[in-house]
């Protein structure tokens, strides 16, 4: 069968690659075209467009790049028509994917969605579009099943969270070799995960690095995103105990003592690696003013949302500054606070369900097509 997969971000590339592996296992003759990244490309199939050309953060940035976004939608529709897939599989990235789904459904194409848009956070009225345009929805967060089925009478499949597999299946590293290869000392590591888009990295990294001098007994290591070149990060690397590693975030987290993390999927990844963290977010003034008026959630991090309580500290907008960040990071280095965070991390992993999200989803896709 022919599958057309659309992932528009680094996390979608990761989950898309594991889904593709499982689809090939379920359907060895599968033909796959996709929008994604290097990880998906390494599995096979045909890459149409890389997510590096698709990622725009915040309301203002979307408006400024509207011409590019509309052109990408046009390209996508044309490519789908030429490929004539048996099913479209959307991975998160709702602003783009829901437009394609609406168009495709009118043409009678089968539409499946893996990793739901976060309509429980904002734009809940999208449920009407999902009911109309999406044939099958596969959700990865435990509270999403109740949200869809009990609140909106829309049947979904809870498949578990794919990050559990992505982390459990990774090849472990030799810490001493990793430190030597990346010119790291024996000091405990505080990982810095500033995001993957240029806009958010520019906003986050300066304030994250502003506390480096206050913790001389630790070394800070920036996790570089695969979508960005080293030259972009180089201007930030001025402190002696600050290092940079590109495209090795999981390896870095596996040996880190604490972390400063930009809000997003990385907050959950850090928790599953059992690394105590401070969650950070700072957007443009306009984007933040709009967001705080339409997002009604108590928390911004997946860790706190899933647990429905504050497990990790969230520093948002003006609260994200050198003074508060220093205080919260110091707490993470205290054994009593660390133990409490780690205890909550163990409970979090249990709530996420078992392993095998990609396999479950691939089986359901193939079964529903047959």
């Amino acid at each position: 069968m022919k599958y057309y997969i659309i992932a528009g971000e680094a996390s979608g590339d990761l989950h898309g690659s594991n889904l593709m592996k499982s689809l090939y296992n379920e359907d060895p003759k599968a033909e796959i075209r996709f929008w994604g990244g290097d990880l998906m490309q390494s599995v096979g199939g045909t890459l149409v467009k890389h997510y590096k050309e698709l990622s725009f953060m915040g309301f203002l940035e979307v408006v400024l790049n509207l011409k590019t976004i509309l052109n990408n939608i046009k390209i996508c529709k044309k490519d789908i028509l030429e490929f004539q897939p048996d099913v479209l599989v959307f991975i998160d990235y709702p602003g783009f994917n829901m437009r394609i789904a609406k168009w495709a459904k009118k043409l009678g194409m089968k539409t499946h969605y893996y990793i739901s848009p976060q309509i429980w956070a904002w734009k809940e009225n999208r449920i009407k579009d999902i009911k109309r345009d999406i044939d099958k929805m596969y959700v990865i967060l435990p509270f999403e099943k109740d949200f869809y089925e009990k609140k909106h009478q829309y049947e979904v499949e809870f498949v578990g969270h794919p990050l559990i597999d992505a982390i459990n299946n990774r090849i472990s590293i030799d810490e001493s070799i990793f430190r030597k290869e990346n010119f790291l000392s024996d000091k405990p590591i505080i990982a810095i995960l500033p995001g993957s888009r240029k806009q958010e990295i520019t906003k986050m990294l300066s304030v994250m690095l502003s506390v480096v001098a206050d913790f001389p007994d630790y070394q800070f290591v920036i996790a570089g995103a695969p979508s960005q070149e080293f030259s972009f990060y180089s201007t930030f690397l001025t402190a002696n105990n600050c290092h940079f590693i590109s495209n090795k975030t999981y390896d870095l987290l596996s040996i880190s003592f604490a972390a400063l993390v930009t809000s997003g999927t990385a907050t959950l990844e850090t928790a599953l690696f059992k690394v105590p963290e401070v969650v950070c977010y700072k957007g443009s003034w306009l984007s933040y003013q709009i967001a705080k008026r339409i997002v009604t959630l108590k928390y911004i991090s997946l860790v706190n949302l899933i647990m429905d309580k504050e497990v990790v500290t969230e520093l948002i907008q003006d609260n994200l500054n050198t003074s508060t960040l220093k205080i919260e990071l110091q707490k993470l280095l205290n054994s009593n606070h660390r133990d409490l965070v780690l205890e909550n991390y163990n409970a979090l992993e249990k709530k996420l369900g078992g392993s095998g999200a990609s396999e479950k989803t691939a089986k359901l896709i193939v079964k529903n097509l047959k």
Side-chain angles (χ1 to χ4, degrees):
M1 286 182 284
K2 298 167 74 173
Y3 307 82
Y4 200 99
I5 303 174
I6 305 176
E9 298 174 301
S11 60
D13 181 37
L14 170 63
H15 303 320
S17 67
N18 288 324
L19 178 62
M20 286 171 63
K21 291 174 188 175
S22 297
L23 282 172
Y24 281 128
N25 287 335
E26 291 297 314
D27 182 4
K29 295 182 179 180
E31 295 179 52
I32 302 177
R33 286 180 72 83
F34 62 91
W35 293 49
D38 298 342
L39 294 175
M40 293 173 75
Q41 193 169 21
S42 69
V43 177
T46 302
L47 173 66
V48 180
K49 217 166 188 44
H50 201 288
Y51 69 78
K52 286 190 287 187
E53 303 177 56
L54 308 176
S55 297
F56 302 105
M57 178 190 176
F59 302 96
L60 180 60
E61 290 78 14
V62 168
V63 171
L64 294 175
N65 291 280
L66 189 57
K67 184 177 179 180
T68 300
I69 295 169
L70 292 175
N71 187 54
N72 284 334
I73 290 172
K74 183 179 178 181
I75 292 170
C76 186
K77 289 178 179 178
K78 182 176 182 292
D79 195 60
I80 290 170
L81 286 175
E82 291 176 353
F83 185 55
Q84 286 295 303
D86 293 292
V87 64
L88 287 165
V89 181
F90 306 105
I91 300 179
D92 201 3
Y93 198 52
F96 187 94
N97 276 334
M98 288 305 299
R99 284 173 176 253
I100 299 297
K102 180 179 180 180
W103 165 83
K105 190 63 181 173
K106 287 180 179 178
L107 296 178
M109 297 183 185
K110 292 182 178 179
T111 54
H112 291 203
Y113 218 119
Y114 176 45
I115 305 180
S116 165
Q118 295 179 351
I119 65 170
W120 35 266
W122 69 301
K123 289 192 176 181
E124 190 169 345
N125 60 347
R126 270 183 173 161
I127 185 64
K128 297 177 182 177
D129 299 334
I130 289 174
K131 284 183 170 182
R132 182 191 66 217
D133 300 328
I134 304 300
D135 296 320
K136 299 291 179 181
M137 175 71 76
Y138 311 106
V139 301
I140 64 172
L141 298 172
F143 60 79
E144 289 179 319
K145 188 170 179 66
D146 282 348
F147 171 83
Y148 276 111
E149 296 187 348
K150 292 184 178 179
K151 187 173 184 180
H152 293 291
Q153 294 75 53
Y154 176 70
E155 186 177 347
V156 300
E157 296 280 357
F158 173 59
V159 295
H161 207 293
L163 279 180
I164 294 175
D165 291 331
I167 291 171
N168 290 342
N169 296 338
R170 59 178 288 276
I171 300 173
S172 59
I173 61 168
D174 184 307
E175 181 173 349
S176 61
I177 294 176
F178 182 81
R179 285 176 180 263
K180 184 176 181 181
E181 289 178 344
N182 292 284
F183 308 102
L184 304 179
S185 70
D186 292 331
K187 291 181 179 178
I189 292 171
I190 296 175
I192 297 180
L193 280 61
S196 59
R197 305 180 186 93
K198 280 189 176 181
Q199 296 100 324
E200 65 183 349
I201 296 170
T202 301
K203 288 281 186 184
M204 307 298 301
L205 199 46
S206 294
V207 66
M208 285 175 158
L209 293 174
S210 68
V211 300
V212 169
D214 295 304
F215 297 89
D217 295 331
Y218 297 83
Q219 57 185 326
F220 290 73
V221 184
I222 300 168
S227 56
Q228 306 299 338
E229 301 294 330
F230 171 73
S231 57
F232 171 66
Y233 294 94
S234 60
T235 56
F236 297 97
L237 296 169
T238 57
N240 290 329
N241 61 329
C242 183
H243 306 270
F244 174 84
I245 295 177
S246 181
N247 201 19
K248 296 179 181 177
T249 301
Y250 281 10
D251 292 341
L252 176 61
L253 285 174
S254 71
I255 61 171
S256 293
F257 189 74
L260 308 179
V261 186
T262 296
S263 177
T265 305
T267 63
L268 184 56
E269 291 172 312
T270 302
L272 291 174
F273 272 100
K274 306 299 190 294
V275 180
E277 64 187 301
V278 178
V279 176
C280 308
Y281 174 79
K282 185 185 288 285
S284 69
W285 181 87
L286 178 60
S287 294
Y288 178 69
Q289 293 302 317
I290 296 172
K292 75 177 185 178
R293 285 165 173 77
I294 61 176
V295 177
T296 58
L297 298 174
K298 289 189 291 184
Y299 308 106
I300 63 169
S301 69
L302 283 172
V303 175
N304 291 343
L305 283 169
I306 294 167
M307 294 298 289
D308 195 27
K309 66 178 182 178
E310 187 180 85
V311 172
V312 294
T313 298
E314 301 177 349
L315 299 180
I316 305 171
Q317 208 65 7
D318 292 339
N319 285 332
L320 178 60
N321 56 63
T322 302
S323 177
T324 55
L325 190 57
K326 178 182 175 181
I327 292 170
E328 295 303 328
L329 179 54
Q330 187 62 59
K331 288 181 183 177
L332 292 187
L333 308 180
N334 178 281
S335 58
N336 290 333
H337 186 71
R338 287 180 63 82
D339 290 345
L340 179 60
V341 172
L342 293 172
E343 182 181 325
N344 279 303
Y345 280 176
N346 290 330
L348 167 73
E349 189 166 2
K350 291 179 181 178
K351 287 192 75 171
L352 286 173
S355 60
S358 301
E359 289 83 353
K360 292 172 189 173
T361 304
K363 285 180 184 294
L364 286 167
I365 291 173
V366 173
K367 177 184 176 182
N368 287 322
L369 290 180
K370 289 180 178 178

